Amino acid sequence: MQASPAGVWSSPRHLIINTSAVELYWDQPSQPNGYIVQYRLIRDGFTVFTGDHEDQSYTDIGLLPKQRYFYELEASTEGGSGVSDKYVVETPVSCPTGIPLPYDITLSGPHSVSLAWSPPAQLNSNQPVKYNILFNPGSHSPIIHHAGRERQSFVTGLQPFTSYHIRVQACQNEGCGVGNGVYVRTLEAAPEGLQPPEVKAVGPNIVEVHWSPPKNPNGLITSYQVYRRPLGTEEELLVFIWSNGLLEFVDASPKLQPFSYFQYKIHAFNSKGSIRSQWTSIQTLQGKPQDMAPPDVISSGAYSVHLKWGEPAQPNGFITLYKLVYVKHQQDPTFNSATVTALTVKGSVLEATLYGLEPFNLYSLRVEAVNEAGSVSSPWVDIRTLEASPAGLANFTVEHREQGRALLLSWDEPRSPNGVITMYNLYSEGNLEFSGLSRSFLFRRLEPWTVYSLTLEACTSAGCTHSRPHHITTAAALPASQLPPRPLSIGPDHVSLTWDPPSQPNGPIGEYSLLGRSLEEKGRLRSSDEDIEMGKVLFRETSPQQAGPLSHTVVGLRPWTQYDFSVCTHNTAGKTCSSWVTITTKQAPPRGLASPTVSHIQGRPSEVVVSWAPPLEPNGVLRSYRIQRNKVIFSFSFDPTVLNYTDEDLQPFSTYSYSIISCTSEGCITSPQTHITTLEAPPATVAAPTVGAVTSSSLNISWSKPLTQNGEVTDYALKLNNQEVYRGKDLSTVLSGLQPHTSYQLVLLACTRGGCTSSVSTTADTEEAPPTNLDPPAIKVTGPESVEITWRPPEFPNGIITGYELRRDGEVIYVGSETHYHDFTLVPSMEYSYVVIANNSRGAVSSEVATAKTHPSAPSGVGLPIVTPLKANQVRVEWQIPARPNGDLVGYNVHLRDPVQLHVLSTAISPNDRIFSERQTILHGLAPYHRYEVRVEACTSLGCSSSDWTSVLTLEAPPAGQLAPLLELQPDPHTSLQTSFVLTWFPPLQPNGRVLHYEVHRRPHASADANNTDDAATVVFRNVSMSYKDRGLQPYTLYQYQVWAVNSAGYAASPWVSGRTGPAPPEGVDPPIFLHVSATSAVVEIRPPAQPNGIVGLYRVFSLDHNTTTLTLLSEGTSLQQTLHDLRPFTQYWVGIEACTCYQCCSRGPLRELNTLAAAPANQPPPRLVTLTSRSVQMEWDEPLAPNGVIESCELHLRSPCPQLPQPTPLPCTEGPMEICFFGKQWSHNVTGLLPYTVYELRTACFNNMGSTASNWTVVSTLSEAPQYVTPFSVDSNLTVIWLDWTRTFSLNGYLKEYTVTESQLRVYTGFYSYLHIPRTSQKTLSFQVTCTTDSGSASTPTIRYSPGTGLGPLEPIDSDKQGVSMSATPVYSELWFILLFALLGLFLLALLVGLVLRRTLRKNPSARERPPLVMLQKSRKSGGETYTFDTVADCVEISNVILKSYTMYSEGLTDTKIVSSSSHFGPMSVLRAPSPTDLNQAYSQHSLHGSVSQLIDRKTLMMEEGCWNNPMGHDSGLYLEDDELVDTIKTLSSVKKELAMFTDTHL
């Protein structure tokens, strides 16, 4: 919000004109704090000038010589006013006056002027006169030139093209005087102080250029030129010529590249010269990246792929991030897959792994590069993920066969196979029952009504997946072995029984029934020859939910009675009942005990006699009786033979209840109560009465009965101040007729047949009542406007007086507790009435009315005057006599006030004046159309009274001070040309009324030169708006405008102002003329347009593609001869010229054909791979993208780069020289003679008659072959170590899997290194052989015999047919499979022998009742698995110095098997790993031998596929077992499963 200004008139300035006039100057406040609406100049406390924000000077006249005046300046905003410090000005005693204007003013240059002047008209001839020439006096930087006594002068040091107000100052001894001045503008000079332009990048190809005029333009700036150049170059280009309008330029040239640095400078011109600014640098904004190459994608797993990519060829900015997008290919072609943005990485990352994909699915991937301006996507790349374990295994479809002894199982393919299914495995309780590709299996040899847990396993080449266990139950049979019920608790009338399900339910239990009978019923059944097993069904449990014990409570039994119970179990095949069990109920408390008889004893009121009878049903042996009085049991008991008792020490007139308690060993019974009341007695104590509702004249008294009455109260008596005021049986009464606000004493008496008892005394107070009998107040007049009132309290206050109210003529004027009041501000000579009101808490009382009249005073009631405007500067004021003169009038005063200046002018009218009796006057010298306020003051001898202010508005006058309009050039909305002017103007400085409308006059600038009249002007606008848009003007034409402000009294015209419209597109543009043409450039000559329609600031040379209708900018600039660069050789162009006068004012001319010359080819694409083998590659290629002529021949270049394909251990690499493997006109070639498993780079070079171009290198890798034996390895030794080196022995031709070294057909090393160090322990001859194994095969060296003493022996011949195949000559008895085979075979024979013995022993089939009940097999789960240890099988079996110490097998997996050598330098090596927690997620039972064998095979195979046999350190430590041989040998043991399948159904 606005506030008061601060810093008003901080730099005051003044100029002494003569002894009676002074000019004062001021500036806007240093802190305006809002919009300045008014300036007010105050001299010695009086306002001498008021103006708006545009007035900043004032000439104060009418001053006195040799006087000091104090000036203050007040500046006002809507938020307040601020006043400056006082500024002192002293007028001279005398000074020359009548100083004429200077003449003969001659401008001799931009910095000098010569002039002459005449002497002053009035001066002191006795004193000399000295002259000073003042330039712009009153400004911040005035110039004073001392001329001395001369009356002509030549002044230098002026600013070029500057307006100066020149005045002559004449000085004598007593002061100086100043004459009027003339305005002179100095000549132009070259501009100075041009600042660099301000540039702003608004787009990747758009730059806004803004600049300011030179600090010292020194003339009218006629044009600006904008130059541009790339940063770091000296080649500048004129891109724009400004002639008029805003000082800005939008550079949207196609030469602007995104995110590039450019420099701009400005060249300003006037009629006398020019100036150049410094360069300003700017970087264009980022643009969308372009040319994104496809990424390199590798499948890194079943759920992930790895991508590598490079930056876009044209990033056009900083790449902030990359987005990895993929699309999953659907098997259904009608289903559209959505594009998924899977990953976003930073711009510095150029590779990433994408997770979350589905296995064995085809995906299309691309990389999207993003910067601040946009993004670009690479082409799609297809990739298929690797296989994984299947997912989504469904449960079995089960069909019962062979009456519950077989199940036909079938299943569906996994919902997500994640590859090709290689095997289905079916497990029962963890035992392998089926393995194959069929999806159905008949599971036989099952037990009826037995739960089997089945698990399905599906496998692919990547792994296997288990389904959740599926529990299947076979058919049911009859139940057996039902045990009798057992008592849980026995009561006198109930028995809680529990029983267990049969040990052999043989089916779902459908119902349990509980039978019961008493011994009496059993005797009746025997006497009537009925079945003794029959009983009554007491309880049925249908569809029991729990498999554990059941229970039931039988109620309604008799105490101390014997009962028999039995349980029957039912299923779908029938029922089975248990034997009977006998249970006796317990004793119970007695029943049927009557209430006792209680009677008084005459003459003894505190004693009673209690007697009773035995219970009707004892329900056992009675043990005692006890008496209970008022529900309190006596502490003593009575023998069962005692049947009465006398109770003493009772309270009189009290009611007692008696009951008898009879007990057995199991409980007690209480009889009903008998009530009796003792004799009466006088009451004990009486409580004091209670006071309830209280009024001023009554009391509501209540009381309560005595707590201990000792009888029946006959009546109550109430005494008030020792006087009985009530007697009766009521418990309350109302006492009336009492005095208000009085205290009373109360006493209550309660009486029975035995006497009366008094209460203690209590006090009660009545409430207040309204006061009465208040006398009228006493009044004393103390003046014309005040009286004094006093009064006394009421005669009967009836309470505490809280306050008084004093009313004057019915209006409350005082409220308080005082009894006097002085009333002021009354009307003189007026009678008033007063009333006093006294208040207490219950009401009020008013006095009688008392009256008094005030003394007389000055007049009052002066009415508003009637003010009528007569002219623009006159008003008439009329008024009436006051409504209450209050005496004789002695005069009138008429006051006139300006609401803005807050200055009041007064006119006094006495009875001697003529207008006194007419009561009207005319006020002169007012401002036109200005609002004033008038009021009239009437006076008597005792004082004066004024009316309110009356507002009046003076009449209008013609306006004055209309300023020239402001012109703004704008484009036409239809043509987009700057042919429209927007005129805006301000109201006149002195509107002198309400402006009715404004008129805009327009005339061509030529008419202003021909004649200065307004006859050629045209009125183009008449409206109240202060803006106007003049449309449809001619382009590049000069116009003049004038504004008239019109009110009801006349008009005011502004000065003429000139403006030129903008340029238009040129007309008559000719085609280009080609002076010189080469392969990539051409020189073009441009002719100026026939009708330019402005200053042509830019010429563009463009080409048109007739096929795509695309325009390409070739060159631009202001020169009429331009060179076209970067043309394509051997190409036809259609070239045209575009001429521009402004940014959007361009025209194109006709096209002309241009044919460039031939050049060397460029942009040769790299060759593409067609076919690939281990020894050759078939390549094909295309011609260059820019042949630049006719291609005559091509070459294919070949070289071997570094690094080569990876190996477990790095191999040395040397780059090979480039070779030309093909020359000719064909577009494909088969390159032979290559090495397997080797990386090669190939490129293509094509030739025309002007030169050649080569492509980038294409990388290819030949396929693998089996390794080849090249040369024998070397063996040497020293005193402690024997070392072998086979670095040059093999040609790998593929990825190395391992080297194997054997000594005497015993493996001593496996690893990736090509050397081996063995400790030397003896002098015997050693036989070494090295085998190389790759992913394509293997090769072995001949056996080399080496003796540490004699050295190498002859090589053993090697079979050429087996070259490349690894042959093991290890003795069969040293292989692990042989040991395992014989160990398992021994276990199998032992199990077969035990089975035959048990079968012969258990050949006799027991009967149905002798067979033990079948127990349902329960699944067991253990965290650690079942362990079988075969320590005794392989203990101390020494084979080739290797001892197989022990190994351990789990039913749920394999642990590490360690093979320890007797040599100290060979450490133990892990063959199989311990099972992971995921391998233990399925529990298995331990009653199947072949299950363990199948698990051994499956776990071994799974761990081989997972790569757990690889040495994690890259170097083995010694001996190990052959994996493939172990698996093949163990799989031969599957016959164990077949043998176990032949077992008959026994209890084993």
Side-chain angles (χ1 to χ4, degrees):
M1 297 180 61
Q2 298 189 30
S4 301
V8 180
W9 214 6
S10 58
S11 58
R13 303 177 300 279
H14 76 280
L15 179 64
I16 301 295
I17 305 301
N18 50 45
T19 57
S20 62
V22 63
E23 291 183 1
L24 297 105
Y25 303 90
W26 59 86
D27 299 319
Q28 185 177 351
S30 59
Q31 299 178 9
N33 296 332
Y35 182 76
I36 302 298
V37 297
Q38 177 182 286
Y39 288 108
R40 189 161 67 98
L41 185 64
I42 304 171
R43 185 213 319 136
D44 295 338
F46 294 92
T47 301
V48 296
F49 170 74
T50 301
D52 56 15
H53 66 283
E54 296 182 352
D55 296 324
Q56 294 186 355
S57 65
Y58 175 69
T59 301
D60 193 9
I61 59 176
L63 305 180
L64 298 177
K66 194 59 178 180
Q67 292 292 328
R68 297 184 65 188
Y69 295 95
F70 294 89
Y71 290 91
E72 294 176 291
L73 182 65
E74 180 187 72
S76 302
T77 65
E78 294 183 358
S81 301
V83 182
S84 70
D85 296 335
K86 291 184 178 181
Y87 181 56
V88 180
V89 175
E90 184 176 359
T91 57
V93 176
S94 64
C95 65
T97 58
I99 302 172
L101 295 173
Y103 61 91
D104 289 343
I105 300 176
T106 303
L107 298 172
S108 56
H111 303 282
S112 60
V113 63
S114 61
L115 71 163
W117 58 92
S118 300
Q122 295 84 25
L123 53 80
N124 188 353
S125 58
N126 296 325
Q127 296 180 2
V129 179
K130 293 184 180 181
Y131 297 97
N132 295 323
I133 310 302
L134 306 182
F135 293 85
N136 293 337
S139 64
H140 284 282
S141 56
I143 299 176
I144 301 177
H145 178 74
H146 303 284
R149 297 182 180 180
E150 300 294 332
R151 292 201 298 274
Q152 62 181 5
S153 178
F154 181 78
V155 182
T156 60
L158 304 180
Q159 295 295 327
F161 201 69
T162 304
S163 244
Y164 287 99
H165 187 203
I166 304 177
R167 305 174 75 171
V168 177
Q169 183 184 50
C171 296
Q172 290 187 321
N173 295 337
E174 294 180 349
C176 298
V178 178
N180 294 330
V182 295
Y183 287 92
V184 173
R185 184 188 297 273
T186 56
L187 299 181
E188 293 188 11
E192 298 173 343
L194 181 59
Q195 296 296 323
E198 296 180 1
V199 292
K200 177 182 179 183
V202 297
N205 305 97
I206 302 176
V207 174
E208 289 184 357
V209 183
H210 300 265
W211 65 93
S212 301
K215 184 177 182 181
N216 299 319
N218 296 337
L220 293 176
I221 301 298
T222 57
S223 66
Y224 291 96
Q225 293 181 358
V226 181
Y227 288 85
R228 180 192 70 215
R229 71 179 182 185
L231 182 64
T233 64
E234 298 297 331
E235 181 183 356
E236 61 184 40
L237 177 65
L238 175 62
V239 295
F240 179 67
I241 297 178
W242 177 94
S243 58
N244 54 24
L246 299 178
L247 300 182
E248 63 182 8
F249 166 62
V250 178
D251 190 3
S253 172
K255 294 294 184 180
L256 294 177
Q257 297 297 325
F259 208 62
S260 301
Y261 285 93
F262 294 90
Q263 289 183 321
Y264 289 85
K265 74 175 181 180
I266 305 299
H267 196 178
F269 294 84
N270 65 6
S271 61
K272 297 298 182 180
S274 65
I275 185 175
R276 295 175 181 265
S277 70
Q278 298 294 325
W279 290 98
T280 298
S281 299
I282 186 64
Q283 184 182 24
T284 55
L285 299 184
Q286 300 186 31
K288 292 184 179 180
Q290 297 176 349
D291 300 337
M292 183 68 185
D296 296 331
V297 186
I298 301 175
S299 293
S300 57
Y303 302 92
S304 62
V305 295
H306 188 74
L307 296 91
K308 292 185 178 180
W309 62 91
E311 287 190 348
Q314 299 180 20
N316 292 336
F318 289 114
I319 300 299
T320 57
L321 54 92
Y322 292 97
K323 295 182 180 179
L324 275 60
V325 183
Y326 72 86
V327 175
K328 179 183 177 184
H329 289 216
Q330 301 293 335
Q331 296 180 356
D332 187 359
T334 62
F335 183 78
N336 294 327
S337 298
T339 301
V340 179
T341 301
L343 186 63
T344 301
V345 299
K346 295 181 179 179
S348 59
V349 179
L350 296 179
E351 64 176 313
T353 301
L354 180 61
Y355 298 93
L357 306 181
E358 297 181 9
F360 205 65
N361 274 273
L362 186 62
Y363 290 89
S364 293
L365 299 99
R366 73 181 183 191
V367 178
E368 182 178 348
V370 182
N371 62 10
E372 293 181 358
S375 62
V376 63
S377 298
S378 69
W380 291 101
V381 177
D382 295 337
I383 189 68
R384 182 182 293 277
T385 54
L386 302 181
E387 293 189 15
S389 301
L393 288 180
N395 276 331
F396 303 99
T397 300
V398 182
E399 182 179 346
H400 294 276
R401 296 288 182 88
E402 301 179 6
Q403 299 178 354
R405 295 188 178 273
L407 296 174
L408 179 59
L409 306 175
S410 60
W411 55 89
D412 297 329
E413 195 177 56
R415 184 179 68 253
S416 300
N418 295 337
V420 179
I421 300 298
T422 59
M423 185 66 68
Y424 289 104
N425 297 321
L426 178 65
Y427 296 91
S428 173
E429 301 293 338
N431 302 319
L432 180 65
E433 302 292 347
F434 168 77
S435 180
L437 291 175
S438 176
R439 296 206 304 272
S440 63
F441 172 62
L442 182 61
F443 193 13
R444 314 180 77 174
R445 301 180 309 280
L446 306 178
E447 292 293 335
W449 192 245
T450 304
V451 178
Y452 290 89
S453 177
L454 302 181
T455 304
L456 179 64
E457 181 183 58
C459 299
T460 64
S461 61
C464 301
T465 300
H466 289 274
S467 68
R468 291 185 298 175
H470 189 192
H471 302 283
I472 303 174
T473 306
T474 55
L478 293 176
S481 302
Q482 177 62 55
L483 298 178
R486 305 185 305 276
L488 292 177
S489 63
I490 301 174
D493 57 352
H494 68 279
V495 174
S496 294
L497 302 173
T498 181
W499 62 93
D500 296 323
S503 59
Q504 299 177 6
N506 294 334
I509 302 300
E511 178 182 316
Y512 289 103
S513 58
L514 179 64
L515 305 180
R517 65 187 180 187
S518 65
L519 293 181
E520 297 177 359
E521 294 175 351
K522 184 177 179 181
R524 289 197 303 269
L525 292 175
R526 288 180 179 178
S527 62
S528 59
D529 295 332
E530 294 181 3
D531 188 0
I532 63 175
E533 297 297 329
M534 293 298 294
K536 182 179 179 181
V537 177
L538 304 177
F539 168 70
R540 293 183 185 274
E541 175 67 24
T542 60
S543 301
Q545 301 297 325
Q546 59 184 5
L550 286 86
S551 61
H552 177 68
T553 301
V554 182
V555 297
L557 305 180
R558 296 191 301 274
W560 204 244
T561 306
Q562 290 184 340
Y563 292 92
D564 291 339
F565 298 97
S566 177
V567 173
C568 295
T569 304
H570 302 255
N571 65 5
T572 56
K575 72 173 182 178
T576 299
C577 294
S578 69
S579 59
W580 293 91
V581 62
T582 302
I583 299 174
T584 303
T585 57
K586 293 184 178 181
Q587 297 187 36
R591 297 180 60 186
L593 181 61
S595 58
T597 301
V598 185
S599 58
H600 292 286
I601 301 177
Q602 296 296 331
R604 298 163 64 182
S606 60
E607 297 180 2
V608 294
V609 178
V610 183
S611 59
W612 60 90
L616 298 179
E617 297 180 7
N619 288 336
V621 179
L622 295 178
R623 301 180 63 181
S624 64
Y625 291 105
R626 301 188 74 174
I627 297 177
Q628 178 176 316
R629 181 182 65 195
N630 292 343
K631 299 183 180 181
V632 177
I633 302 174
F634 286 1
S635 61
F636 54 88
S637 61
F638 301 95
D639 190 81
T641 60
V642 178
L643 300 177
N644 58 69
Y645 173 71
T646 300
D647 194 10
E648 301 177 350
D649 298 329
L650 303 179
Q651 295 293 329
F653 201 69
S654 299
T655 300
Y656 294 91
S657 61
Y658 290 90
S659 60
I660 302 300
I661 300 175
S662 178
C663 299
T664 65
S665 61
E666 293 298 329
C668 301
I669 185 174
T670 302
S671 69
Q673 294 181 349
T674 299
H675 298 277
I676 189 171
T677 303
T678 56
L679 298 178
E680 294 185 17
T685 58
V686 177
T690 303
V691 180
V694 178
T695 66
S696 59
S697 61
S698 63
L699 295 175
N700 189 351
I701 311 300
S702 61
W703 54 88
S704 60
K705 294 181 180 180
L707 297 178
T708 306
Q709 297 182 11
N710 292 334
E712 183 178 358
V713 177
T714 58
D715 56 6
Y716 297 93
L718 180 65
K719 292 184 178 181
L720 179 67
N721 292 341
N722 294 326
Q723 293 183 0
E724 184 175 309
V725 293
Y726 170 80
R727 177 175 289 274
K729 293 184 177 181
D730 296 333
L731 297 179
S732 63
T733 185
V734 177
L735 303 180
S736 58
L738 305 180
Q739 295 296 326
H741 200 61
T742 304
S743 180
Y744 294 93
Q745 296 293 324
L746 297 174
V747 177
L748 178 68
L749 286 79
C751 300
T752 65
R753 293 184 181 89
C756 299
T757 302
S758 299
S759 69
V760 297
S761 176
T762 183
T763 302
D765 296 328
T766 55
E767 293 186 349
E768 297 183 359
T772 58
N773 297 343
L774 179 61
D775 295 333
I779 301 175
K780 177 181 179 182
V781 178
T782 58
E785 296 180 353
S786 63
V787 296
E788 184 178 6
I789 305 100
T790 58
W791 59 90
R792 292 183 298 174
E795 182 179 358
F796 302 103
N798 292 333
I800 299 174
I801 299 300
T802 59
Y804 297 95
E805 291 184 7
L806 179 62
R807 295 177 181 266
R808 182 211 315 134
D809 295 337
E811 180 181 359
V812 177
I813 61 174
Y814 169 75
V815 175
S817 60
E818 299 293 335
T819 57
H820 60 87
Y821 178 71
H822 207 157
D823 193 9
F824 296 95
T825 67
L826 303 180
V827 178
S829 189
M830 180 68 68
E831 186 177 27
Y832 295 92
S833 60
Y834 292 88
V835 174
V836 176
I837 299 175
N839 300 296
N840 65 8
S841 62
R842 289 299 180 180
V845 61
S846 298
S847 68
E848 296 293 333
V849 177
T851 61
K853 186 177 182 181
T854 58
H855 299 175
S857 182
S860 62
V862 180
L864 292 173
I866 300 173
V867 185
T868 305
L870 301 178
K871 295 181 181 180
N873 56 356
Q874 295 180 1
V875 295
R876 181 175 61 235
V877 183
E878 301 176 288
W879 63 91
Q880 299 295 329
I881 298 176
R884 292 191 297 272
N886 295 332
D888 296 332
L889 298 176
V890 296
Y892 294 101
N893 294 322
V894 179
H895 302 282
L896 175 67
R897 182 176 69 178
D898 187 345
V900 177
Q901 299 183 0
L902 302 178
H903 181 65
V904 180
L905 298 177
S906 302
T907 302
I909 302 173
S910 64
N912 300 326
D913 297 331
R914 177 181 57 82
I915 60 176
F916 181 84
S917 59
E918 296 178 355
R919 293 187 297 278
Q920 65 177 3
T921 183
I922 296 176
L923 302 179
H924 301 270
L926 306 181
Y929 202 70
H930 194 79
R931 186 167 298 279
Y932 293 93
E933 293 180 348
V934 179
R935 75 176 179 184
V936 176
E937 184 179 47
C939 300
T940 65
S941 59
L942 295 180
C944 299
S945 178
S946 300
S947 68
D948 291 334
W949 292 98
T950 300
S951 178
V952 65
L953 184 68
T954 56
L955 299 180
E956 295 185 1
Q962 176 62 49
L963 301 177
L966 302 176
L967 300 184
E968 180 182 357
L969 186 61
Q970 289 189 353
D972 189 272
H974 302 290
T975 63
S976 298
L977 300 177
Q978 291 183 333
T979 56
S980 299
F981 277 115
V982 175
L983 290 81
T984 57
W985 56 88
F986 295 99
L989 299 179
Q990 298 177 7
N992 295 335
R994 184 172 63 87
V995 177
L996 300 178
H997 62 269
Y998 295 95
E999 294 181 1
V1000 177
H1001 297 252
R1002 183 187 67 200
R1003 69 182 181 186
H1005 191 267
S1007 63
D1009 297 338
N1011 104 38
N1012 293 328
T1013 63
D1014 295 341
D1015 297 339
T1018 303
V1019 178
V1020 295
F1021 173 76
R1022 182 181 286 109
N1023 203 328
V1024 296
S1025 175
M1026 288 187 294
S1027 64
Y1028 167 66
K1029 186 172 185 179
D1030 195 8
R1031 299 182 178 89
L1033 304 178
Q1034 295 297 323
Y1036 205 66
T1037 305
L1038 192 62
Y1039 292 92
Q1040 287 189 329
Y1041 291 91
Q1042 185 184 59
V1043 174
W1044 287 11
V1046 182
N1047 65 5
S1048 61
Y1051 72 91
S1054 71
W1056 288 94
V1057 63
S1058 300
R1060 185 184 295 277
T1061 55
E1067 299 178 12
V1069 180
D1070 293 334
I1073 300 173
F1074 303 111
L1075 301 179
H1076 174 71
V1077 179
S1078 66
T1080 59
S1081 64
V1083 178
V1084 179
E1085 182 179 354
I1086 304 172
R1087 294 179 180 176
Q1091 183 177 347
N1093 288 335
I1095 299 176
V1096 178
L1098 184 65
Y1099 290 101
R1100 292 192 179 103
V1101 182
F1102 65 91
S1103 65
L1104 175 64
D1105 189 342
H1106 290 288
N1107 296 327
T1108 61
T1109 67
T1110 302
L1111 289 177
T1112 303
L1113 180 65
L1114 302 179
S1115 177
E1116 63 179 1
T1118 59
S1119 176
L1120 296 178
Q1121 185 175 357
Q1122 299 185 16
T1123 302
L1124 309 182
H1125 299 280
D1126 299 330
L1127 300 181
R1128 294 191 301 273
F1130 206 67
T1131 305
Q1132 182 187 46
Y1133 291 90
W1134 289 95
V1135 182
I1137 301 299
E1138 184 179 44
C1140 301
T1141 57
C1142 66
Y1143 174 58
Q1144 294 180 342
C1145 307
C1146 300
S1147 295
R1148 298 191 183 103
L1151 304 178
R1152 177 164 291 175
E1153 181 181 0
L1154 170 64
N1155 294 310
T1156 57
L1157 302 181
N1163 299 335
Q1164 172 65 48
R1168 300 184 300 275
L1169 177 65
V1170 179
T1171 59
L1172 177 67
T1173 67
S1174 61
R1175 299 286 181 173
S1176 65
V1177 290
Q1178 177 77 24
M1179 306 297 292
E1180 66 177 7
W1181 57 89
D1182 298 326
E1183 70 175 9
L1185 299 179
N1188 296 336
V1190 179
I1191 299 299
E1192 297 177 350
S1193 62
C1194 292
E1195 290 181 353
L1196 184 62
H1197 299 167
L1198 173 71
R1199 72 178 181 184
S1200 176
C1202 285
Q1204 286 292 322
L1205 293 176
Q1207 292 290 357
T1209 57
L1211 298 178
C1213 178
T1214 303
E1215 292 188 358
M1218 187 193 72
E1219 301 177 2
I1220 300 176
C1221 57
F1222 170 78
F1223 176 80
K1225 295 184 178 181
Q1226 299 178 3
W1227 301 105
S1228 65
H1229 179 65
N1230 187 22
V1231 183
T1232 60
L1234 305 180
L1235 297 178
Y1237 197 67
T1238 305
V1239 177
Y1240 291 95
E1241 291 182 344
L1242 298 98
R1243 74 177 181 183
T1244 304
C1246 291
F1247 298 81
N1248 65 5
N1249 60 348
M1250 300 299 293
S1252 65
T1253 180
S1255 69
N1256 293 329
W1257 292 96
T1258 298
V1259 180
V1260 296
S1261 300
T1262 55
L1263 301 181
S1264 301
E1265 285 186 359
Q1268 293 180 345
Y1269 168 70
V1270 178
T1271 182
F1273 58 89
S1274 63
V1275 183
D1276 204 348
S1277 65
N1278 56 19
L1279 293 178
T1280 58
V1281 177
I1282 301 174
W1283 60 85
L1284 291 76
D1285 188 356
W1286 56 91
T1287 304
R1288 304 182 182 275
T1289 301
F1290 298 100
S1291 176
L1292 296 180
N1293 296 337
Y1295 183 79
L1296 176 65
K1297 295 182 64 177
E1298 64 182 5
Y1299 287 113
T1300 303
V1301 180
T1302 60
E1303 192 279 317
S1304 299
Q1305 298 183 356
L1306 179 63
R1307 189 172 305 166
V1308 296
Y1309 171 76
T1310 296
F1312 301 119
Y1313 293 98
S1314 58
Y1315 57 87
L1316 177 65
H1317 294 245
I1318 301 175
R1320 178 176 173 180
T1321 58
S1322 66
Q1323 297 294 329
K1324 70 176 183 177
T1325 301
L1326 304 176
S1327 298
F1328 292 104
Q1329 186 181 34
V1330 179
T1331 301
C1332 172
T1333 304
T1334 66
D1335 55 358
S1336 299
S1338 62
S1340 300
T1341 66
T1343 301
I1344 296 179
R1345 298 185 179 277
Y1346 178 77
S1347 174
T1350 61
L1352 292 174
L1355 297 177
E1356 291 186 1
I1358 185 170
D1359 191 355
S1360 60
D1361 296 337
K1362 298 183 179 181
Q1363 176 68 25
V1365 181
S1366 177
M1367 302 296 294
S1368 175
T1370 305
V1372 66
Y1373 53 81
S1374 65
E1375 295 293 342
L1376 179 62
W1377 65 268
F1378 185 85
I1379 300 172
L1380 292 177
L1381 174 62
F1382 275 85
L1384 295 176
L1385 184 59
L1387 290 176
F1388 172 73
L1389 294 177
L1390 178 62
L1392 183 61
L1393 179 62
V1394 174
L1396 293 176
V1397 174
L1398 292 177
R1399 183 177 182 182
R1400 180 175 296 276
T1401 303
L1402 302 176
R1403 180 179 299 274
K1404 179 182 178 181
N1405 295 326
S1407 62
R1409 293 187 177 272
E1410 293 175 354
R1411 184 192 301 266
L1414 295 176
V1415 179
M1416 183 170 57
L1417 181 61
Q1418 301 294 329
K1419 179 179 176 180
S1420 63
R1421 184 181 300 271
K1422 298 182 180 179
S1423 60
E1426 300 296 334
T1427 305
Y1428 303 92
T1429 304
F1430 302 94
D1431 290 338
T1432 61
V1433 176
D1435 270 347
C1436 302
V1437 181
E1438 182 174 356
I1439 303 174
S1440 300
N1441 297 327
V1442 178
I1443 299 177
L1444 180 63
K1445 284 297 183 180
S1446 64
Y1447 63 90
T1448 305
M1449 296 178 60
Y1450 283 85
S1451 63
E1452 296 181 3
L1454 295 176
T1455 61
D1456 284 348
T1457 301
K1458 300 183 181 296
I1459 301 175
V1460 183
S1461 174
S1462 61
S1463 301
S1464 61
H1465 61 274
F1466 287 109
M1469 188 195 74
S1470 177
V1471 177
L1472 299 179
R1473 63 176 175 84
S1476 63
T1478 58
D1479 296 329
L1480 302 178
N1481 61 354
Q1482 179 66 40
Y1484 301 96
S1485 64
Q1486 57 183 354
H1487 57 269
S1488 179
L1489 180 61
H1490 66 274
S1492 299
V1493 177
S1494 63
Q1495 294 157 25
L1496 177 62
I1497 298 172
D1498 295 339
R1499 298 300 178 188
K1500 185 65 173 64
T1501 305
L1502 177 61
M1503 286 182 285
M1504 290 174 61
E1505 294 173 353
E1506 293 177 351
C1508 64
W1509 292 83
N1510 294 336
N1511 191 343
M1513 300 301 295
H1515 178 69
D1516 288 340
S1517 61
L1519 203 59
Y1520 83 111
L1521 296 181
E1522 193 70 21
D1523 297 342
D1524 297 337
E1525 296 173 0
L1526 175 63
V1527 174
D1528 295 339
T1529 304
I1530 296 178
K1531 284 186 176 179
T1532 60
L1533 302 181
S1534 61
S1535 60
V1536 178
K1537 178 180 68 175
K1538 299 179 181 179
E1539 294 297 334
L1540 290 179
M1542 299 301 295
F1543 283 167
T1544 61
D1545 185 11
T1546 67
H1547 295 288
L1548 180 57

